């Protein structure tokens, strides 16, 4: 009897590792799925971004189902007191990636439109353009940060819809950061792969 329970426990563990929490077989762009990619849910896998960026965190956004957030930073952190008076770390540059699951594709498109409108009113947008990386279309906003409450001076954001998911990737940096923000974000998007197994 004990052997049966041990066997059942092993089956349950195997299911947990390979079932709901498993990896897709391939990406929508045809690339075989690489288990070394940083995962956001079962939807998005991200290659190491390079350009001196390392993973800071990868979390489910609290209080929201099917919403995922990850951030990468470059350079040495300096102590910083934010607008709310809290001590935090300020990096010369950071990339954040948000994946937001919606009820359907229309809701995802509306979420992207709302996000873009918010950025267009919050920043001094210098350029808007379309980019395609690994077959995924993005709209890019290149901007200057004008708020004195924001420690970053410039940035570039990419917005996309993937089925019922809204996606935003943003790179912000201080004025002294020497990297080419637009090229670095393009490299980052080139390392983003979307699961081919998403229900249509």
């Amino acid at each position: 009897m004990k052997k049966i329970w041990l066997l059942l426990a092993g089956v349950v563990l195997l299911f947990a590792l390979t079932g709901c929490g498993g990896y897709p077989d391939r990406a929508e762009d045809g690339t075989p799925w690489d288990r070394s990619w940083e995962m956001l849910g079962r939807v998005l896998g991200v290659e190491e971004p390079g350009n001196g960026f390392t993973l800071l965190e990868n979390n489910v956004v609290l209080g929201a189902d099917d919403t995922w957030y990850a951030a990468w930073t470059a350079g040495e952190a300096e102590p910083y007191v934010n607008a709310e008076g809290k001590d935090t770390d300020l990096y010369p540059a950071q990339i954040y990636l948000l994946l937001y699951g919606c009820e359907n594709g229309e809701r995802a498109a509306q979420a992207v439109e709302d996000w873009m409108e918010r950025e267009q009113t919050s920043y001094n947008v210098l350029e808007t353009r379309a980019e395609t990386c690994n077959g995924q279309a993005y709209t890019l906003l290149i901007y200057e940060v004008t708020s004195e409450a924001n420690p970053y001076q410039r940035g570039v954001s990419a917005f996309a819809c993937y089925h019922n998911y809204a996606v935003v990737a943003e790179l912000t940096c201080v004025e002294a950061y020497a990297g080419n923000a637009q090229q670095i974000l393009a490299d980052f998007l080139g390392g983003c792969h979307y699961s081919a197994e998403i229900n249509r």
Side-chain angles (χ1 to χ4, degrees):
M1 189 70 170
K2 186 175 181 181
K3 285 185 178 180
I4 293 174
W5 284 111
L6 288 174
L7 182 60
L8 286 173
V11 170
V12 169
L13 178 61
L14 183 62
F15 176 78
L17 293 174
T18 61
C20 297
Y23 294 88
D25 291 328
R26 65 181 179 87
E28 185 72 16
D29 59 21
T31 306
W33 203 266
D34 188 330
R35 293 188 175 204
S36 71
W37 294 342
E38 193 66 33
M39 295 285 293
L40 278 76
R42 284 180 45 82
V43 179
L44 181 54
V46 184
E47 298 177 27
E48 288 189 19
N51 292 300
F53 283 82
T54 57
L55 182 69
L56 178 67
E57 60 180 328
N58 183 350
N59 298 309
V60 178
V61 176
L62 299 177
D65 293 332
D66 208 14
T67 301
W68 308 84
Y69 169 86
W72 292 258
T73 57
E76 294 295 324
E78 294 185 0
Y80 178 76
V81 179
N82 65 20
E84 299 172 352
K86 295 180 180 178
D87 293 329
T88 185
D89 291 327
L90 176 64
Y91 292 87
Q94 75 168 20
I95 297 171
Y96 83 74
L97 179 62
L98 180 65
L99 176 71
Y100 177 54
C102 301
E103 184 180 345
N104 52 47
E106 289 182 3
R107 292 286 180 87
Q110 184 61 56
V112 166
E113 188 177 321
D114 292 344
W115 291 346
M116 289 182 60
E117 184 178 334
R118 192 174 305 121
E119 286 212 354
Q120 288 168 332
T121 57
S122 300
Y123 303 137
N124 178 27
V125 175
L126 305 174
E127 184 182 351
T128 302
R129 69 168 184 247
E131 293 273 347
T132 300
C133 298
N134 296 336
Q136 176 62 50
Y138 296 90
T139 299
L140 268 62
L141 299 182
I142 301 155
Y143 54 84
E144 294 174 334
V145 179
T146 54
S147 171
E148 294 182 0
N150 191 327
Y152 293 107
Q153 281 78 43
R154 55 193 171 93
V156 55
S157 298
F159 301 88
C161 288
Y162 184 68
H163 300 301
N164 62 311
Y165 287 90
V167 183
V168 59
E170 180 172 86
L171 187 157
T172 51
C173 53
V174 298
E175 191 61 42
Y177 179 65
N180 183 323
Q182 297 172 44
Q183 184 59 55
I184 291 171
L185 188 64
D187 292 345
F188 178 82
L189 295 175
C192 291
H193 304 274
Y194 295 83
S195 170
E197 299 173 11
I198 299 302
N199 293 329
R200 287 167 168 74

